[in-house]
Amino acid sequence: QVRLVESEGGSVQSGGSLRLSCAVSGATYSGFRRYCAGWFRQTPGKEREAVASVDNDGRTGYADSVSGRFSISLDNAKNTVYLQMNSLQPLDTAMYYCAVKPGNSDCLVPWKYNYWGQGTQVTVSA
């Protein structure tokens, strides 16, 4: 089993910053030799979209819309994935989800992921 627990999101004004964290646990996850960890977001009526990903080799990937503003990192000692979000804009308002999957390919493809957190709301006001 794999359990993902996200930190609380929050509300910020445009141009502000937030950091999300996601603690990953479970015997199944501990057995992954190769894996992807990612952050995704979703707004009502829209499909879930990729934000950022990192794999077991530390390779990162970003959606064009957040590249240069967001940064994903992985603390293996704490089994925690972070998403640092800077220069936030109202269009970044969404429910944010962290997820993990075995294998380190297709890390930015939401439907490839097996395990998901419960989601955390991020709201950016103009």
Side-chain angles (χ1 to χ4, degrees):
Q1 190 64 298
V2 179
R3 184 170 183 235
L4 298 93
V5 180
E6 295 140 345
S7 59
E8 282 197 22
S11 297
V12 296
Q13 290 190 324
S14 182
S17 298
L18 279 175
R19 188 176 82 153
L20 304 179
S21 65
C22 175
V24 187
S25 61
T28 301
Y29 173 72
S30 298
F32 292 172
R33 291 183 58 196
R34 296 182 178 84
Y35 56 84
C36 297
W39 285 95
F40 302 85
R41 65 188 182 186
Q42 190 170 21
T43 54
K46 293 189 177 181
E47 291 188 356
R48 194 167 296 187
E49 64 176 11
V51 175
S53 68
V54 60
D55 72 8
N56 55 284
D57 290 328
R59 293 176 297 194
T60 58
Y62 296 91
D64 289 344
S65 59
V66 306
S67 184
R69 301 187 297 123
F70 290 14
S71 178
I72 189 170
S73 60
L74 176 63
D75 185 332
N76 285 310
K78 296 182 179 180
N79 285 338
T80 300
V81 187
Y82 300 96
L83 183 69
Q84 177 66 45
M85 304 183 290
N86 299 326
S87 302
L88 282 161
Q89 303 165 5
L91 284 177
D92 295 315
T93 294
M95 185 71 78
Y96 283 71
Y97 299 88
C98 69
V100 296
K101 73 174 197 67
N104 59 0
S105 62
D106 296 327
C107 292
L108 284 172
V109 181
W111 56 89
K112 295 284 188 175
Y113 280 74
N114 312 80
Y115 306 100
W116 292 86
Q118 77 282 3
T120 188
Q121 180 67 37
V122 172
T123 302
V124 185
S125 57

